[in-house]
Amino acid sequence: MKNLLCFVALLLSLTLPAQAAVMLIYHHVASDTPRVSSVTADELRGHLQHFKDNNFQVIGLDVLIAQLRKGEPVAPNSVVITFDDSYENNFTTAHSILQEFGYPYTIFISPGSIDKGDGPLLNWQQVKQMSDDGVLVANHAMRHEHMARPEAGESQSQWRERMKQSILAAEDKIEQVTGQRHQWLAYPYGEYSRELEQLVTELGFIGIGQQSGAIGNHTVLTRIPRYPAAGQYADLKDLAQKLRTLAFNITDYHGVNPVISANPPQLKLSLKTDDFNRNQLQCFAGSEVLQPQWLDDSTFTVTASKALKRGRSRYNCTAPSLSNKGYFYWYSQPWLN
């Protein structure tokens, strides 16, 4: 990631607005919570001030989803703010700061976890107050469970029914408390699979991940990306780079499944290459630089040189835009081993 950011830093400069959206994911807003998932109140305020000072359009997730569903142009240089995991400090600390700036935002909550009181979480009175104040409240599965694949001893059909009930029960509870029913699912831990995407589609939901990348009119609505804005990524220099990214126009994912069957996995993508030079496309697996192998004018493959570690990892691919100076295309492929 460090090499990737160094490469990206060389590409940045002031430029005209580009037609793309960036969605940010926050968790804790506190100074006494794990740093990897936290921003301080001052850091959050600094992010919001940066949006204001640099004329970014902070829009609600409902506005972005409507644009994507209707095929309307994505508002240029737009930013969507989201919070995951139902933490109480989203209400006690973040809410007033966001209200001060007048910025819309979304919280993704797990109703079953709130019911059990698992940790320093929001209570339903706080959720209702946030909803009444205009905050969008959406689905993070019933109990923040791992959703991408069956558990040991569980059949595919049993897993599918369990996931269906988790998604629908959470949506029903949110509607019961707040009156909101958006049918947006933020995958817990950012984990999803082709089979989960199929279920999400059948249920009429939008699927939102935690892999990085910008959002455009060709973004698949079961794998919408978000950039992390906490921990090491809370620094404004890093954030400013992410805000100037574009979505590749991918025409074929060639059946890529985040739940890998071969290790290391191969990523194969077909995409339109009219706004970047193919020889400037670079991909990364952690600190390893991956050289794309172009099969024709639009299709390439990349594969890491060694097996991925157990758990979650990613390939990131990026290329500078020809038409938007200082902007670069970004695609992140999550893997679950």
Side-chain angles (χ1 to χ4, degrees):
M1 180 61 72
K2 184 177 179 180
N3 288 342
L4 174 60
L5 293 176
C6 289
F7 169 73
V8 165
L10 298 175
L11 307 176
L12 298 175
S13 64
L14 294 177
T15 185
L16 296 174
Q19 192 173 305
V22 165
M23 195 184 317
L24 302 178
I25 174 175
Y26 296 90
H27 291 84
H28 286 290
V29 182
S31 56
D32 58 353
T33 49
R35 180 58 184 166
V36 67
S37 58
S38 302
V39 292
T40 66
D42 286 344
E43 285 173 329
L44 177 62
R45 187 181 297 277
H47 293 179
L48 304 185
Q49 189 64 49
H50 180 82
F51 305 154
K52 182 178 180 179
D53 292 344
N54 291 276
N55 299 315
F56 285 97
Q57 300 187 64
V58 180
I59 62 175
L61 181 53
D62 55 341
V63 174
L64 176 62
I65 295 298
Q67 292 170 343
L68 295 174
R69 277 180 158 159
K70 295 176 182 178
E72 297 175 348
V74 172
N77 278 2
S78 53
V79 177
V80 176
I81 299 170
T82 68
F83 290 81
D84 279 13
D85 294 357
S86 322
Y87 290 120
E88 185 180 31
N89 52 50
N90 295 175
F91 176 76
T92 58
T93 303
H95 185 53
S96 60
I97 299 173
L98 282 147
Q99 282 187 309
E100 177 186 333
F101 281 83
Y103 286 157
Y105 70 100
T106 299
I107 55 170
F108 287 103
I109 65 172
S110 298
S113 299
I114 293 177
D115 286 339
K116 288 181 63 179
D118 291 341
L121 302 184
L122 296 161
N123 59 46
W124 286 115
Q125 183 179 358
Q126 292 168 328
V127 172
K128 180 63 165 61
Q129 182 62 59
M130 295 171 83
S131 176
D132 290 347
D133 290 341
V135 177
L136 300 174
V137 184
N139 196 324
H140 203 32
M142 193 62 180
R143 296 176 181 83
H144 200 269
E145 56 265 55
H146 294 275
M147 301 184 75
R149 55 187 175 181
E151 295 179 344
E154 185 178 38
S155 70
Q156 191 73 15
S157 61
Q158 290 171 330
W159 164 83
R160 196 177 190 280
E161 183 61 26
R162 182 168 60 87
M163 292 302 97
K164 179 180 177 180
Q165 292 306 314
S166 174
I167 295 167
L168 295 180
E171 197 73 15
D172 289 344
K173 180 67 174 185
I174 292 169
E175 183 177 28
Q176 176 188 335
V177 173
T178 69
Q180 300 189 43
R181 191 180 186 90
H182 301 291
Q183 298 191 180
W184 309 329
L185 173 67
Y187 303 120
Y189 312 100
E191 297 174 357
Y192 65 93
S193 60
R194 281 185 304 189
E195 294 77 13
L196 183 57
E197 287 184 279
Q198 291 168 0
L199 176 60
V200 165
T201 299
E202 289 175 20
L203 295 176
F205 275 66
I206 296 291
I208 299 170
Q210 293 184 19
Q211 75 278 11
S212 54
I215 302 163
N217 288 109
H218 300 280
T219 297
V220 176
L221 298 186
T222 53
R223 55 176 69 175
I224 299 177
R226 292 185 289 175
Y227 281 110
Q232 64 178 314
Y233 305 115
D235 183 85
L236 266 176
K237 291 182 180 178
D238 179 85
L239 187 64
Q241 294 171 354
K242 294 170 180 174
L243 295 173
R244 297 188 180 280
T245 55
L246 303 168
F248 284 109
N249 183 352
I250 298 173
T251 58
D252 193 341
Y253 289 85
H254 296 278
V256 63
N257 191 346
V259 179
I260 67 174
S261 56
N263 198 4
Q266 182 189 80
L267 174 64
K268 183 178 181 181
L269 296 175
S270 295
L271 66 172
K272 292 189 175 181
T273 59
D274 52 331
D275 193 42
F276 68 92
N277 291 325
R278 289 190 305 155
N279 61 3
Q280 290 185 297
L281 178 72
Q282 292 199 46
C283 298
F284 302 81
S287 60
E288 181 185 5
V289 179
L290 309 179
Q291 293 302 325
Q293 301 298 312
W294 288 93
L295 306 181
D296 55 37
D297 289 342
S298 64
T299 302
F300 73 91
T301 65
V302 287
T303 308
S305 64
K306 56 186 178 181
L308 303 182
K309 294 180 180 179
R310 184 174 178 84
R312 296 184 294 273
S313 56
R314 301 173 186 172
Y315 291 172
N316 293 315
C317 295
T318 185
S321 168
L322 297 176
S323 63
N324 292 276
K325 185 179 180 182
Y327 283 74
F328 54 96
Y329 289 91
W330 186 304
Y331 175 78
S332 180
Q333 174 59 51
W335 303 114
L336 180 61
N337 178 23

